[in-house]
Amino acid sequence: MKIAFCGKGGVGKSSISALLSLAFLEEGYRVLAIDADPSPHLARLLEIPQEIVPLAEMTELLAERAQKSGPYYTLNPKIDDLPEKFAVTKNGLRLMVLGAIRTAGGGCACPEQTVLKRLLTYLILSSREIVIVDMEAGVEHFGRATVAPMDVILVITQPLRGSLETTKQILKMAEELNLKKVFVVGNRVKDPSQEEFLRKEFGGLYLLSLSPDDELESREFEGKGLWDYRGKLFTQVKELKRRLQELIGETS
Ligand SMILES: Nc1ncnc2c1ncn2[C@@H]1O[C@H](COP(=O)(O)OP(=O)(O)OP(=O)(O)O)[C@@H](O)[C@H]1O
């Protein structure tokens, strides 16, 4: 299953991606997490201090292979075939980052988006393998259809005006791209009236609500990662995992 997390900046994409990765890992899945956010946080949340060679540098590799035996990405790589150089593995969880570092006014992210889209399109997964992608905030990856190869797209939203607007824009673009299995997940939903509001806004697309968790906030403040976090949000993210397995017809 390939799952993408989208939404406005700061809505909780990285935290929920990291927790969902850990929830699948706990259940014995092989997990590849990809941080496609230009200001990546997954490595910090997953307590991976090493530098990771950005996937964007794979462009050179792709070009090299194209000259020799055809482009690498047409070989339908499996997770194990992905070059080790671009990943760091911790307790069985593999993390890749898209990169590249763009300087102010440094221009377009086209090459990175192309690498990511090709990789996601051609990566072959077996039944208990999961790829979780923490996308860049906003709608750029919809404009470039980078999300098209995903099995499920989760748009994280908060009951706040700006977040709702971005969510609606994403849903509209997803519809234009004819993407199926696009769902909205409410984060920091404080009470039943907020949940009811979100359910009314998004109807059948609304999957579930996650509540605010002070423990998560304090961990962030203290700079602690999430490996040993077993708080309220982790329990709710495990429910999200169960719902995704149901949706995709994969039961444990
Ligand atoms: N349910 C929650 N309860 C409490 N704090 C939360 C919750 N979800 C996320 N946060 C906090 O909100 C902040 C932003 O979360 P996060 O970095 O996961 O968002 P993001 O959408 O990935 O942001 P960006 O787009 O800037 O990368 C973090 O400090 C995180 O700890």
Side-chain angles (χ1 to χ4, degrees):
M1 186 181 354
K2 298 172 188 173
I3 307 165
F5 280 88
C6 307
K8 190 177 182 294
V11 289
K13 296 178 296 299
S14 305
S15 311
I16 303 166
S17 311
L19 290 174
L20 188 67
S21 301
L22 295 175
F24 273 113
L25 194 76
E26 197 179 86
E27 208 180 292
Y29 277 72
R30 301 193 63 202
V31 181
L32 167 62
I34 301 178
D35 199 336
D37 196 318
S39 48
H41 294 298
L42 279 188
R44 178 175 52 79
L45 294 171
L46 294 169
E47 299 162 52
I48 294 175
Q50 298 97 308
E51 285 279 311
I52 308 176
V53 179
L55 276 172
E57 287 186 19
M58 222 188 240
T59 38
E60 283 166 36
L61 188 88
L62 295 176
E64 238 173 61
R65 303 253 179 145
Q67 279 165 14
K68 292 177 186 158
S69 54
Y72 172 71
Y73 44 82
T74 60
L75 297 179
N76 292 112
K78 300 191 177 77
I79 286 187
D80 283 337
D81 301 329
L82 295 175
E84 277 300 319
K85 179 183 161 191
F86 298 101
V88 170
T89 304
K90 176 168 177 161
N91 303 336
L93 190 154
R94 191 178 287 206
L95 176 66
M96 293 178 150
V97 296
L98 183 61
I101 301 149
R102 271 176 275 147
T103 48
C108 160
C110 312
E112 295 105 88
Q113 295 288 324
T114 306
V115 169
L116 183 62
K117 189 174 171 188
R118 284 181 181 156
L119 186 70
L120 292 172
T121 303
Y122 293 105
L123 194 62
I124 296 272
L125 301 180
S126 45
S127 68
R128 287 175 70 81
E129 290 184 330
I130 295 282
V131 175
I132 292 176
V133 188
D134 181 13
M135 291 287 181
E136 178 172 2
V139 296
E140 185 168 314
H141 40 279
F142 281 86
R144 296 178 199 289
T146 314
V147 282
M150 306 308 288
D151 297 310
V152 181
I153 295 169
L154 297 177
V155 192
I156 307 300
T157 200
Q158 289 189 3
L160 298 170
R161 201 44 56 196
S163 163
L164 294 172
E165 275 168 19
T166 305
T167 302
K168 286 180 185 166
Q169 202 182 351
I170 288 176
L171 292 177
K172 186 168 171 281
M173 291 176 93
E175 202 179 328
E176 284 163 10
L177 288 171
N178 200 22
L179 300 178
K180 311 289 177 212
K181 298 210 169 115
V182 181
F183 298 97
V184 178
V185 172
N187 188 27
R188 302 182 106 158
V189 179
K190 282 192 197 131
D191 54 41
S193 69
Q194 288 196 337
E195 167 156 313
E196 200 188 319
F197 171 79
L198 290 172
R199 285 198 183 279
K200 270 200 191 129
E201 283 286 313
F202 300 112
L205 298 184
Y206 193 74
L207 201 58
L208 91 177
S209 300
L210 305 169
S211 41
D213 185 351
D214 292 344
E215 190 188 338
L216 194 83
E217 262 186 31
S218 357
R219 290 183 82 97
E220 179 80 7
F221 179 71
E222 289 160 20
K224 282 192 192 158
L226 295 174
W227 280 94
D228 63 346
Y229 164 75
R230 288 292 174 272
K232 182 167 68 175
L233 194 63
F234 189 54
T235 309
Q236 294 175 340
V237 168
K238 284 208 235 177
E239 174 58 17
L240 172 63
K241 172 185 68 62
R242 202 189 58 72
R243 299 286 294 276
L244 291 169
Q245 286 169 312
E246 250 173 36
L247 277 171
I248 215 87
E250 233 181 59
T251 43
S252 50

